[in-house]
Amino acid sequence: MRLATWNVNSIRARVVRTVDFCVRENIDVLAMQEIKCKPEQFPYAAFEEAGYHVVAHGLNQWNGVAIASREPITEVETAFPGMPGFLKGHEGPDLPQEARAIGATIDGVRVWSLYVPNGRGLDDPHYLYKLDWLAALTGYTREMLAANPDLPLALVGDFNIAPTDADNGDPTVIEGVTTHVSPPEREAFRALLDAGLSDTVRPLVPTGYTYWDYKQLRFPRNEGLRIDFILGSHAFADAVEGAAIHRDERKGEIPSDHVPVVVDLDFAGDEDDDDRPMIFG
Protein backbone atom coordinates (compact mmCIF):
# COMPACT_ATOMS: atom_id res chain seq x y z
CA MET A 1 0.00 0.00 0.00
CA ARG A 2 1.20 3.50 -0.84
CA LEU A 3 -0.45 6.01 1.50
CA ALA A 4 -0.21 9.78 1.23
CA THR A 5 -1.47 12.79 3.13
CA TRP A 6 -1.92 16.24 1.60
CA ASN A 7 -3.44 19.48 2.77
CA VAL A 8 -4.82 20.40 -0.65
CA ASN A 9 -6.08 23.88 0.35
CA SER A 10 -9.36 23.64 -1.62
CA ILE A 11 -9.99 20.46 -3.56
CA ARG A 12 -12.25 22.17 -6.11
CA ALA A 13 -9.45 24.55 -7.05
CA ARG A 14 -6.82 21.81 -7.18
CA VAL A 15 -8.64 18.63 -8.20
CA VAL A 16 -6.68 18.25 -11.44
CA ARG A 17 -3.35 18.52 -9.64
CA THR A 18 -4.48 16.19 -6.88
CA VAL A 19 -5.78 13.41 -9.11
CA ASP A 20 -2.78 13.75 -11.43
CA PHE A 21 -0.46 13.29 -8.46
CA CYS A 22 -2.35 10.21 -7.28
CA VAL A 23 -2.18 8.56 -10.69
CA ARG A 24 1.41 9.59 -11.47
CA GLU A 25 2.74 8.47 -8.08
CA ASN A 26 0.59 5.34 -7.90
CA ILE A 27 -1.07 6.37 -4.64
CA ASP A 28 -3.43 3.77 -3.15
CA VAL A 29 -4.81 5.91 -0.31
CA LEU A 30 -4.82 9.70 -0.12
CA ALA A 31 -5.88 11.54 3.03
CA MET A 32 -6.82 15.15 2.30
CA GLN A 33 -7.23 18.16 4.55
CA GLU A 34 -8.72 21.62 3.97
CA ILE A 35 -10.98 20.42 1.17
CA LYS A 36 -13.05 23.57 1.84
CA CYS A 37 -16.38 22.21 0.63
CA LYS A 38 -19.41 20.23 1.70
CA PRO A 39 -19.59 16.55 0.68
CA GLU A 40 -22.15 17.33 -2.03
CA GLN A 41 -19.71 19.84 -3.54
CA PHE A 42 -16.73 17.47 -3.66
CA PRO A 43 -15.49 16.68 -7.23
CA TYR A 44 -16.02 12.92 -6.93
CA ALA A 45 -16.17 12.28 -10.68
CA ALA A 46 -12.51 13.11 -11.30
CA PHE A 47 -11.41 10.66 -8.60
CA GLU A 48 -13.85 7.95 -9.66
CA GLU A 49 -12.67 8.16 -13.27
CA ALA A 50 -9.16 7.52 -11.97
CA GLY A 51 -10.32 4.46 -10.01
CA TYR A 52 -10.79 5.87 -6.51
CA HIS A 53 -13.54 5.64 -3.93
CA VAL A 54 -13.95 8.82 -1.86
CA VAL A 55 -15.48 9.73 1.51
CA ALA A 56 -15.61 13.38 2.52
CA HIS A 57 -16.62 15.44 5.53
CA GLY A 58 -17.14 19.18 5.27
CA LEU A 59 -19.60 21.65 6.74
CA ASN A 60 -18.86 24.88 4.87
CA GLN A 61 -16.10 26.61 2.91
CA TRP A 62 -13.62 26.13 5.76
CA ASN A 63 -11.69 23.09 6.99
CA GLY A 64 -12.97 19.75 5.67
CA VAL A 65 -11.28 16.37 5.31
CA ALA A 66 -11.53 13.44 2.91
CA ILE A 67 -10.04 10.05 2.05
CA ALA A 68 -9.64 8.60 -1.44
CA SER A 69 -8.80 4.93 -1.90
CA ARG A 70 -8.49 2.39 -4.66
CA GLU A 71 -9.78 -0.27 -2.28
CA PRO A 72 -13.23 -0.18 -0.65
CA ILE A 73 -13.65 2.20 2.29
CA THR A 74 -15.54 0.97 5.36
CA GLU A 75 -16.29 1.95 8.98
CA VAL A 76 -16.37 5.66 8.27
CA GLU A 77 -16.47 8.08 11.24
CA THR A 78 -16.46 11.87 11.14
CA ALA A 79 -15.28 12.44 14.71
CA PHE A 80 -13.21 10.54 17.23
CA PRO A 81 -14.60 9.95 20.73
CA GLY A 82 -14.29 13.02 22.92
CA MET A 83 -13.45 15.38 20.06
CA PRO A 84 -14.27 18.90 21.28
CA GLY A 85 -16.07 21.60 19.31
CA PHE A 86 -15.48 25.30 18.96
CA LEU A 87 -17.60 28.42 18.66
CA LYS A 88 -15.93 31.78 19.07
CA GLY A 89 -17.17 33.60 22.15
CA HIS A 90 -18.67 30.48 23.71
CA GLU A 91 -17.48 27.88 26.20
CA GLY A 92 -18.78 24.53 27.35
CA PRO A 93 -18.83 20.84 26.46
CA ASP A 94 -21.48 20.93 23.73
CA LEU A 95 -20.00 23.32 21.17
CA PRO A 96 -20.43 22.44 17.49
CA GLN A 97 -17.73 20.20 16.09
CA GLU A 98 -15.75 21.35 13.07
CA ALA A 99 -14.99 19.16 10.05
CA ARG A 100 -11.47 18.24 11.11
CA ALA A 101 -11.44 14.43 11.24
CA ILE A 102 -12.54 11.51 9.15
CA GLY A 103 -11.62 7.92 9.92
CA ALA A 104 -12.01 4.83 7.77
CA THR A 105 -10.79 1.27 7.44
CA ILE A 106 -9.05 0.33 4.20
CA ASP A 107 -7.70 -3.17 3.64
CA GLY A 108 -7.41 -3.69 7.40
CA VAL A 109 -5.68 -0.37 8.10
CA ARG A 110 -7.45 2.23 10.25
CA VAL A 111 -6.69 5.64 8.74
CA TRP A 112 -7.62 9.03 10.17
CA SER A 113 -7.28 12.15 8.03
CA LEU A 114 -6.81 14.99 10.52
CA TYR A 115 -6.71 18.76 10.28
CA VAL A 116 -5.57 19.85 13.72
CA PRO A 117 -6.79 23.33 14.76
CA ASN A 118 -4.34 26.12 13.93
CA GLY A 119 -4.44 27.84 17.32
CA ARG A 120 -4.35 31.32 15.74
CA GLY A 121 -2.54 33.03 18.63
CA LEU A 122 -1.13 32.15 22.02
CA ASP A 123 -3.79 34.26 23.72
CA ASP A 124 -6.64 33.18 21.45
CA PRO A 125 -9.39 30.77 22.63
CA HIS A 126 -8.57 28.72 19.52
CA TYR A 127 -5.18 27.89 21.06
CA LEU A 128 -6.80 26.26 24.11
CA TYR A 129 -9.21 24.51 21.76
CA LYS A 130 -6.22 23.16 19.84
CA LEU A 131 -4.66 21.75 23.00
CA ASP A 132 -7.98 20.24 24.13
CA TRP A 133 -8.47 18.72 20.68
CA LEU A 134 -5.02 17.12 20.76
CA ALA A 135 -5.58 15.83 24.31
CA ALA A 136 -8.80 14.14 23.22
CA LEU A 137 -7.04 12.65 20.20
CA THR A 138 -4.29 11.31 22.45
CA GLY A 139 -6.82 9.77 24.81
CA TYR A 140 -8.63 8.12 21.92
CA THR A 141 -5.35 6.77 20.53
CA ARG A 142 -4.26 5.35 23.86
CA GLU A 143 -7.60 3.63 24.42
CA MET A 144 -7.77 2.30 20.86
CA LEU A 145 -4.30 0.75 21.01
CA ALA A 146 -4.82 -0.61 24.52
CA ALA A 147 -7.87 -2.48 23.24
CA ASN A 148 -6.25 -3.43 19.90
CA PRO A 149 -2.45 -3.48 20.33
CA ASP A 150 -1.87 -5.06 16.92
CA LEU A 151 -4.09 -2.64 15.02
CA PRO A 152 -2.44 -0.92 12.05
CA LEU A 153 -3.51 2.62 12.96
CA ALA A 154 -2.44 5.74 11.08
CA LEU A 155 -3.10 9.30 12.19
CA VAL A 156 -2.15 11.45 9.23
CA GLY A 157 -2.56 15.03 8.14
CA ASP A 158 -1.79 18.63 8.98
CA PHE A 159 -0.94 18.79 12.68
CA ASN A 160 -0.11 22.51 12.71
CA ILE A 161 2.87 21.80 14.98
CA ALA A 162 6.59 21.91 14.19
CA PRO A 163 7.69 19.47 16.91
CA THR A 164 11.41 20.34 16.88
CA ASP A 165 13.49 23.41 16.07
CA ALA A 166 14.74 21.60 12.97
CA ASP A 167 11.15 21.56 11.69
CA ASN A 168 10.93 25.35 11.67
CA GLY A 169 12.63 27.35 8.94
CA ASP A 170 10.19 30.25 8.93
CA PRO A 171 11.72 33.32 10.61
CA THR A 172 8.26 34.65 11.51
CA VAL A 173 7.40 31.56 13.59
CA ILE A 174 8.97 32.28 16.95
CA GLU A 175 8.67 30.47 20.28
CA GLY A 176 6.85 32.64 22.79
CA VAL A 177 5.38 34.79 20.04
CA THR A 178 3.49 32.53 17.63
CA THR A 179 1.71 29.20 17.62
CA HIS A 180 3.06 25.94 16.12
CA VAL A 181 6.27 25.98 18.18
CA SER A 182 5.10 26.68 21.75
CA PRO A 183 6.13 24.19 24.45
CA PRO A 184 2.52 23.10 25.18
CA GLU A 185 1.94 22.30 21.50
CA ARG A 186 5.17 20.36 21.25
CA GLU A 187 4.35 18.53 24.47
CA ALA A 188 0.95 17.62 22.99
CA PHE A 189 2.68 16.17 19.94
CA ARG A 190 5.05 14.14 22.11
CA ALA A 191 2.07 12.88 24.11
CA LEU A 192 0.60 11.48 20.91
CA LEU A 193 3.82 9.58 20.27
CA ASP A 194 3.88 8.36 23.87
CA ALA A 195 0.35 7.02 23.37
CA GLY A 196 1.81 4.39 21.04
CA LEU A 197 2.63 6.11 17.75
CA SER A 198 5.77 6.69 15.69
CA ASP A 199 6.63 9.38 13.18
CA THR A 200 7.01 6.95 10.29
CA VAL A 201 8.60 9.42 7.87
CA ARG A 202 11.34 11.09 9.90
CA PRO A 203 13.64 8.02 10.17
CA LEU A 204 13.69 7.79 6.37
CA VAL A 205 13.43 11.50 5.52
CA PRO A 206 15.12 13.28 8.45
CA THR A 207 15.02 16.77 6.92
CA GLY A 208 12.62 18.76 4.79
CA TYR A 209 9.58 20.95 5.19
CA THR A 210 5.98 20.26 4.16
CA TYR A 211 4.53 23.79 4.21
CA TRP A 212 5.63 27.21 2.96
CA ASP A 213 3.57 30.37 3.36
CA TYR A 214 2.58 32.04 0.10
CA LYS A 215 3.95 35.37 1.38
CA GLN A 216 7.44 36.88 1.33
CA LEU A 217 8.98 34.34 -1.07
CA ARG A 218 8.94 31.72 1.66
CA PHE A 219 9.17 28.81 -0.81
CA PRO A 220 12.02 30.11 -3.00
CA ARG A 221 13.91 30.88 0.22
CA ASN A 222 12.99 27.47 1.65
CA GLU A 223 11.63 29.11 4.78
CA GLY A 224 9.09 26.43 5.60
CA LEU A 225 7.67 24.27 8.35
CA ARG A 226 7.40 20.54 8.79
CA ILE A 227 3.84 20.22 10.09
CA ASP A 228 2.34 17.36 8.03
CA PHE A 229 2.89 13.89 9.42
CA ILE A 230 2.09 10.21 9.09
CA LEU A 231 2.00 8.83 12.63
CA GLY A 232 1.52 5.09 12.95
CA SER A 233 1.02 2.42 15.56
CA HIS A 234 3.61 -0.31 16.02
CA ALA A 235 1.80 -2.58 13.55
CA PHE A 236 1.66 0.22 10.97
CA ALA A 237 5.21 1.50 11.49
CA ASP A 238 6.68 -1.98 11.18
CA ALA A 239 5.25 -2.21 7.66
CA VAL A 240 6.81 1.05 6.42
CA GLU A 241 9.46 0.41 3.80
CA GLY A 242 9.85 3.83 2.23
CA ALA A 243 8.85 7.46 2.61
CA ALA A 244 9.02 10.74 0.73
CA ILE A 245 8.13 14.42 0.96
CA HIS A 246 7.13 15.62 -2.51
CA ARG A 247 8.56 19.12 -2.42
CA ASP A 248 8.09 19.74 -6.14
CA GLU A 249 4.31 19.76 -5.69
CA ARG A 250 4.74 23.25 -4.22
CA LYS A 251 5.80 24.41 -7.70
CA GLY A 252 3.75 25.05 -10.82
CA GLU A 253 0.28 26.52 -11.29
CA ILE A 254 -1.99 27.18 -8.29
CA PRO A 255 -0.09 24.96 -5.86
CA SER A 256 -1.27 24.27 -2.35
CA ASP A 257 0.92 25.78 0.34
CA HIS A 258 1.48 22.21 1.59
CA VAL A 259 3.02 19.23 -0.21
CA PRO A 260 2.20 15.51 -0.07
CA VAL A 261 3.89 13.20 2.40
CA VAL A 262 3.99 9.53 1.36
CA VAL A 263 4.83 6.16 2.88
CA ASP A 264 5.14 2.73 1.27
CA LEU A 265 3.83 -0.19 3.31
CA ASP A 266 4.24 -3.94 3.08
CA PHE A 267 2.07 -5.82 5.55
CA ALA A 268 2.89 -9.19 3.98
CA GLY A 269 6.67 -8.83 4.09
CA ASP A 270 8.98 -11.69 4.96
CA GLU A 271 9.54 -11.50 8.70
CA ASP A 272 12.69 -13.60 8.32
CA ASP A 273 14.32 -11.20 5.86
CA ASP A 274 17.45 -10.09 7.70
CA ASP A 275 18.09 -7.43 5.06
CA ARG A 276 14.98 -5.45 5.97
CA PRO A 277 15.99 -2.14 7.62
CA MET A 278 15.02 -1.85 11.27
CA ILE A 279 14.07 1.82 11.36
CA PHE A 280 11.62 1.80 14.24
CA GLY A 281 12.49 0.82 17.76
Side-chain angles (χ1 to χ4, degrees):
M1 176 188 291
R2 177 167 284 181
L3 182 149
T5 182
W6 194 358
N7 180 322
V8 294
N9 191 13
S10 181
I11 188 59
R12 289 179 291 177
R14 297 180 173 86
V15 61
V16 173
R17 283 194 69 134
T18 305
V19 174
D20 175 73
F21 170 79
C22 287
V23 173
R24 174 171 27 93
E25 298 297 330
N26 197 26
I27 302 298
D28 297 302
V29 179
L30 174 66
M32 291 167 271
Q33 302 85 43
E34 278 204 274
I35 62 172
K36 295 184 176 180
C37 67
K38 298 177 182 178
E40 59 267 26
Q41 298 170 315
F42 192 96
Y44 295 100
F47 283 87
E48 291 168 352
E49 289 171 6
Y52 291 90
H53 310 274
V54 177
V55 291
H57 177 44
L59 300 174
N60 46 41
Q61 73 272 29
W62 309 111
N63 308 323
V65 283
I67 298 174
S69 170
R70 287 172 167 166
E71 297 298 321
I73 300 172
T74 62
E75 300 179 294
V76 177
E77 295 180 89
T78 56
F80 52 82
M83 190 175 95
F86 181 80
L87 184 62
K88 188 175 182 179
H90 295 77
E91 298 180 0
D94 299 317
L95 300 179
Q97 291 183 339
E98 298 179 308
R100 294 185 174 276
I102 188 167
T105 299
I106 302 161
D107 202 15
V109 181
R110 188 65 181 166
V111 178
W112 281 92
S113 178
L114 303 170
Y115 180 42
V116 175
N118 177 282
R120 300 178 184 170
L122 298 179
D123 59 352
D124 193 291
H126 208 260
Y127 178 74
L128 296 178
Y129 163 56
K130 178 179 190 174
L131 297 178
D132 289 345
W133 203 94
L134 287 164
L137 179 63
T138 299
Y140 160 77
T141 301
R142 186 178 293 109
E143 291 178 7
M144 176 69 79
L145 293 179
N148 305 279
D150 296 323
L151 174 70
L153 172 68
L155 304 187
V156 312
D158 178 358
F159 284 77
N160 272 314
I161 299 171
T164 74
D165 289 344
D167 300 318
N168 178 22
D170 188 331
T172 67
V173 178
I174 304 168
E175 183 178 339
V177 178
T178 60
T179 60
H180 291 57
V181 294
S182 70
E185 290 169 291
R186 288 178 166 179
E187 289 167 9
F189 190 91
R190 286 193 294 270
L192 261 179
L193 301 183
D194 291 342
L197 302 176
S198 298
D199 180 343
T200 64
V201 177
R202 192 180 298 274
L204 298 170
V205 189
T207 62
Y209 305 128
T210 65
Y211 163 86
W212 297 260
D213 197 306
Y214 291 124
K215 302 174 184 177
Q216 301 298 317
L217 299 175
R218 292 286 178 242
F219 182 66
R221 294 173 177 171
N222 198 31
E223 295 175 343
L225 296 168
R226 186 177 188 146
I227 57 176
D228 301 86
F229 297 95
I230 297 176
L231 307 183
S233 65
H234 177 75
F236 182 93
D238 280 353
V240 173
E241 294 192 329
I245 296 173
H246 287 256
R247 187 180 188 276
D248 284 351
E249 289 301 322
R250 185 60 172 75
K251 302 176 182 178
E253 296 183 7
I254 58 168
S256 171
D257 43 4
H258 295 250
V259 297
V261 180
V262 180
V263 293
D264 288 308
L265 302 135
D266 182 7
F267 291 102
D270 186 352
E271 295 180 357
D272 296 324
D273 185 356
D274 293 334
D275 293 329
R276 183 182 176 192
M278 297 298 291
I279 61 174
F280 301 104

